Amino acid sequence: PISNKIEELFSVDSSPLSHRVLSPSAGDGTDEITTRKEFSLVYVSSDDNEMEMMDYTRSNWIPVPFDSPDRTNIKQHFRICAQVEMESLGIERRRQEIPSLVIIESATQGILSMGGKDDLLQYGEDVLDHWISQKDLVRTLEE
């Protein structure tokens, strides 16, 4: 399943891409909070509770806090959520099912791809280079 592919490519322990994705510090106070990388994976959970969310979250992912209103706002903005959440979020029709990957360029907050999951399946380990080329193309067109 796609969730296994996401975990395989974006988990710090086994990932061929982990050196390019945000990595948290050791937490010993001797280094910065995070090491800047090309990409960050922000996890917006549809789990039933915080414990389930933390069990699924990998160490190099940035989870949106379970009780944060940002979690709800992000789901409503992108219209991406679990089917059981649709009514409580006021979403009549989902843009995508979960899991989903929305690729956002950090400097402009522009959407590079709403189909990150499909990109991942198509490009595999080369997906980050594909998204970088999308970012470069958008920046060229904006000049």
Side-chain angles (χ1 to χ4, degrees):
I2 187 65
S3 57
N4 290 349
K5 187 74 170 172
I6 292 168
E7 184 175 345
E8 173 188 323
L9 286 177
F10 295 106
S11 287
V12 86
D13 298 334
S14 61
S15 170
L17 301 176
S18 65
H19 65 284
R20 298 176 70 183
V21 177
L22 181 79
S23 299
S25 72
D28 60 7
T30 60
D31 50 17
E32 295 181 35
I33 293 175
T34 58
T35 302
R36 185 161 177 80
K37 298 290 183 170
E38 292 174 277
F39 287 89
S40 302
L41 196 146
V42 177
Y43 178 53
V44 182
S45 167
S46 284
D47 293 301
D48 292 330
N49 57 57
E50 187 170 9
M51 185 180 213
E52 285 180 12
M53 179 186 88
M54 296 314 294
D55 283 346
Y56 186 74
T57 302
R58 298 302 169 249
S59 64
N60 62 330
W61 297 3
I62 302 168
V64 174
F66 190 80
D67 350 353
S68 171
D70 292 335
R71 189 169 155 258
T72 297
N73 295 337
I74 291 168
K75 291 177 184 191
Q76 290 171 328
H77 178 77
F78 289 107
R79 292 194 340 254
I80 299 173
C81 63
Q83 187 170 2
V84 298
E85 297 175 293
M86 290 175 64
E87 186 176 335
S88 67
L89 291 170
I91 297 173
E92 291 184 28
R93 200 176 93 192
R94 293 182 293 179
R95 190 174 282 150
Q96 293 183 27
E97 295 181 5
I98 60 169
S100 292
L101 283 174
V102 178
I103 311 307
I104 301 171
E105 205 275 319
S106 62
T108 65
Q109 286 78 50
I111 297 172
L112 296 177
S113 177
M114 285 294 296
K117 179 172 70 170
D118 295 333
D119 295 343
L120 180 60
L121 292 173
Q122 181 176 352
Y123 295 98
E125 291 181 22
D126 295 328
V127 72
L128 295 181
D129 294 319
H130 168 70
W131 293 330
I132 289 170
S133 71
Q134 294 295 99
K135 175 188 73 168
D136 294 342
L137 175 64
V138 167
R139 285 187 179 173
T140 301
L141 293 173
E142 289 176 347
E143 292 176 351

